[in-house]
Amino acid sequence: MVAPTTPETKVVFKRPESFTDVTTHYCPGCTHGVAHRLVAEVIDEMGLREKTIGVAPVGCSVFAYKYFNMDFVEAAHGRAPAMATGIKRVLPQKTIFTYQGDGDLASIGMAEIMHAAARGENISVIFINNAIFGMTGGQMAPTTLPGMKTTSSPFGRDVELTGFPIRMSEMLATMDGAGYIVRRSLHDAKHIRQSKKAIRMAIETQERGLGFSMVELLSSCPTNWKVAPDEALKFIAESMIPVFPLGDYKVRPELAGLRV
Amino acid sequence: MPAKGWIEVDDLHCKGCALCISACPQDVIALDMERLTPKGYHPAHLIAEGCTGCALCAIICPDAAITVYREVPVHTKKAPASA
Amino acid sequence: MAKELLKGNEAFAEAAIRAGCEGFYGYPITPSTEFLEYMAKRMPQLGRAFVQAESEVAAINMVYGGACTGKRVMTASSSPGVSLMMEGISYIAGTEVPAVIVNVMRGGPGLGNIAPSQGDYHQMVKGGGHGDYFPIVLAPASVQEAIDYISLAFDLADKYRNIVHVIVDGNMGQMMEPAELPPMRELPKDPPSWAVTGAEGRQPNFLSSIYIDPADEEVTNIRLVKRWMEIEKNEIRYSEYLMEDAEFAVIGFGTAGRVASSAIRAAREEGVKVGLFRPITLAPFPKKQIEEISKRVKRILVVEMNTGMMLDDVAAIVQGRVPVEFYGRLGGMTPFPDEILDEIRRVADNKAPINGDARAEWISRLEKIVEEGR
């Protein structure tokens, strides 16, 4: 339908400038798209598009570079924090963020993320936790919930054999080099708004030189969870949040008074 | 009087996931079963009066497919002193 | 500038700095550690980037990131560390960004030891990482040459947006030798047009090794191989010593070539007309020059500190025109000039064809030497 264009009409919501016009490859209802949009909105609002360099991961968000209208590089699996370090150290005035899934960040890239945080690397990390390997078709991730069925834990994740989900935010918060570590969720509009504020805070942390920042976002994977998109959002609220509690795990005191 | 709003759903981006439908507090969005997008999805569209331009649909939309408009009451423009 | 007495690894690091290296990312490993230590001290003094990474895997991916900004960046490591870097090296090659990697080679395989070796010839020269790509490989034989070729490495990397490996061994990394450092180069003011620097006033740049459509990857592979053919045409480098009237040629690179040159001097005193051909670019390999040599000498002796990795490349070029013999020491052992002199004498007297395999004949000789040595 065509919207009225009378002078009385105001646009209250539109695609951010930092987004390209490319349709994402994500499955219908996948909240990767929400996370992408929030990052683009924050970069728009802060006026940082022309000084930002994004680092894309390997995983479902491997094509993230196509959707952001800004300089981008594509890292090897799990190595985005190392690549971001390499960039940030020679271009310290630029805004560098990585966008990584749980396979990328919490499995193969565990060393790179931990040490980037330990070094207090002044970069921002958007961490998408959907408790599964999406791109390869739904295998068990380090974040898969106990009992959860995946193609590589077909009888449900047996903690006796495969161990327990890893809580990255809690672990990274122990690092003195970390400036801002929080976990948020993308399962409804209220939580999406909180997620956006957190992304803003993470970039503010970087702009202020306050060290490593990460926003962990509980995200849905309707296709590999084998549920409808709205059911997937319920799964986040009811099953994921109890295992991955939302909260602020590390906020440098310098950030305490900041309102975004 | 409740605010009056509109949404515009971009056929290029909408994948018919229906998350906007469950997010809409006015129940005025549905999938258009008469139409397919170029990618083969039934797109979301407004089905009744009552949209307030609250943008909850656009906030939950994973594909940034929704533009939200809201009508600004004319009298506020004509009487700026009262603003 | 006058010659000073310089320690290999430190001189190489200073050479890199003077060539405009703005980012060093590394992980300590013997026998290359002094390179990193020198960078740790010097780079911050100059306001340039130094990171001691958590692993070689991280180090090379930091190099990858730094390289994408168009700045001159590098790492230095040693054999097992370079093995770990192979993932990132392949990505750098696939993304077509310039990077310089110094490998101070040591004995292997596996953990091996920390003694000088040339056992990484295949890994370096043939690529090492996955996929179709072609690194440039420079093999200097003295501290001075290494200084010169580290500067050259950065120039070649930038010129061709290609990986350049500089391979030396623990001998050269650890030795002190009189050498002269070049003056400090000015840093470039503007980044290259392809670099990611923030898309200010221009279209965004995207750097990646991903070509999801095989047809696009094929086009990329064609571009890479055509660039390589250009490099083969322009960048062959080698050194010749007493080759003008040589009836016998010794072919060796790096330390092995250098040790051979002393043996050649001694053999000349005995009247043996022998010369040295020392490839400096192992990739691109001086094929034409070796082919020419094979047309004018009676016999060729390849000397290496490995099991004859370059031997195979030489034999493929010579194609049986003259016999190609081999002598090598392994596992971190460096041959003495006397051993090579004995080999030169033997080769000069040997009228027999090489029956079957030069490697098989050599190994039976080496086993005797090893036995006697004990």
Side-chain angles (χ1 to χ4, degrees), chain C residues 54-250:
Chain C
E54 60 272 28
S55 68
E56 284 90 349
V57 175
I60 194 67
N61 283 286
M62 291 176 190
V63 169
Y64 184 18
C68 288
T69 70
K71 306 259 191 198
R72 289 188 160 185
V73 295
M74 73 174 310
T75 188
S77 187
S78 175
S79 311
V82 176
S83 289
L84 272 174
M85 290 182 180
M86 278 302 156
E87 174 196 61
I89 288 172
S90 174
Y91 278 72
I92 290 169
T95 308
E96 300 166 71
V97 287
V100 173
I101 296 147
V102 175
N103 180 358
V104 186
M105 296 183 288
R106 64 185 237 187
L111 198 50
N113 55 47
I114 58 171
S117 165
Q118 297 181 333
D120 297 354
Y121 179 91
H122 279 164
Q123 189 180 35
M124 297 284 93
V125 171
K126 310 297 180 185
H130 60 280
D132 254 326
Y133 74 97
F134 306 90
I136 296 171
V137 182
L138 302 174
S142 67
V143 171
Q144 183 67 61
E145 259 190 24
I147 288 169
D148 297 344
Y149 289 125
I150 281 171
S151 299
L152 176 71
F154 279 106
D155 293 340
L156 293 178
D158 279 353
K159 182 175 175 187
Y160 297 103
R161 290 176 62 177
N162 211 83
I163 286 179
V164 183
H165 293 298
V166 181
I167 62 170
V168 295
D169 59 46
N171 283 318
M172 257 180 289
Q174 305 293 322
M175 73 166 56
M176 290 190 80
E177 211 168 39
E180 191 179 334
L181 284 159
M184 185 76 87
R185 282 202 226 174
E186 260 186 55
L187 299 178
K189 283 192 183 65
D190 298 313
S193 59
W194 49 261
V196 294
T197 53
E200 194 176 344
R202 60 159 169 76
Q203 286 299 305
N205 283 335
F206 169 59
L207 290 170
S208 155
S209 61
I210 192 170
Y211 296 96
I212 208 76
D213 181 348
D216 293 340
E217 183 70 70
E218 188 176 47
V219 168
T220 303
N221 290 149
I222 290 170
R223 183 169 64 247
L224 293 179
V225 74
K226 280 180 78 177
R227 185 177 305 160
W228 180 247
M229 287 154 78
E230 193 66 19
I231 292 169
E232 281 186 312
K233 215 187 311 165
N234 301 337
E235 307 300 345
I236 299 281
R237 283 171 175 80
Y238 55 90
S239 152
E240 287 185 315
Y241 177 59
L242 304 175
M243 279 301 295
E244 298 80 14
D245 61 341
E247 293 174 2
F248 304 96
V250 176

Side-chain angles (χ1 to χ4, degrees), chain A residues 178-196:
Chain A
Y180 184 75
I181 307 282
V182 301
R183 184 183 290 120
R184 299 287 185 266
S185 169
L186 298 173
H187 72 273
D188 63 23
K190 177 183 144 205
H191 286 87
I192 290 171
R193 285 203 175 103
Q194 291 169 349
S195 299
K196 181 176 167 183

Side-chain angles (χ1 to χ4, degrees), chain C residues 207-338:
Chain C
L207 290 170
S208 155
S209 61
I210 192 170
Y211 296 96
I212 208 76
D213 181 348
D216 293 340
E217 183 70 70
E218 188 176 47
V219 168
T220 303
N221 290 149
I222 290 170
R223 183 169 64 247
L224 293 179
V225 74
K226 280 180 78 177
R227 185 177 305 160
W228 180 247
M229 287 154 78
E230 193 66 19
I231 292 169
E232 281 186 312
K233 215 187 311 165
N234 301 337
E235 307 300 345
I236 299 281
R237 283 171 175 80
Y238 55 90
S239 152
E240 287 185 315
Y241 177 59
L242 304 175
M243 279 301 295
E244 298 80 14
D245 61 341
E247 293 174 2
F248 304 96
V250 176
I251 302 180
F253 69 93
T255 294
R258 180 175 171 152
V259 175
S261 63
S262 332
I264 284 163
R265 267 193 300 277
R268 281 274 174 173
E269 279 168 26
E270 293 175 10
V272 182
K273 287 191 167 178
V274 60
L276 173 71
F277 181 83
R278 184 164 60 79
I280 290 168
T281 49
L282 294 178
F285 198 57
K287 291 180 192 165
K288 253 188 223 135
Q289 290 73 12
I290 291 174
E291 189 187 338
E292 283 306 309
I293 288 166
S294 74
K295 288 174 181 164
R296 61 190 164 93
V297 299
K298 293 179 183 163
R299 235 174 163 87
I300 290 170
L301 171 67
V302 174
V303 179
E304 296 180 77
M305 286 151 65
N306 60 41
T307 53
M309 293 177 173
M310 185 178 71
L311 165 70
D312 294 334
D313 290 340
V314 171
I317 294 162
V318 174
Q319 292 184 353
R321 269 184 291 270
V322 289
V324 178
E325 299 218 38
F326 180 69
Y327 186 73
R329 292 304 299 263
L330 309 172
M333 298 292 285
T334 302
F336 287 107
D338 281 358

Side-chain angles (χ1 to χ4, degrees), chain A residues 88-110:
Chain A
K88 185 74 178 184
R89 291 297 184 107
V90 291
L91 296 176
Q93 304 308 320
K94 306 291 175 171
T95 308
I96 315 296
F97 78 93
T98 73
Y99 186 103
Q100 304 176 256
D102 41 20
D104 195 85
L105 182 143
S107 190
I108 197 166
M110 181 61 94

Side-chain angles (χ1 to χ4, degrees), chain B residues 3-7 26 28 46 48-54 68-69:
Chain B
K4 185 171 163 49
W6 300 267
I7 63 166
Q26 307 298 323
V28 290
L46 274 184
E49 292 292 309
C51 173
T52 61
C54 72
V68 183
Y69 302 88

Side-chain angles (χ1 to χ4, degrees), chain B residues 58-70:
Chain B
I59 289 169
I60 201 92
C61 175
D63 290 285
I66 303 176
T67 308
V68 183
Y69 302 88
R70 191 183 295 159

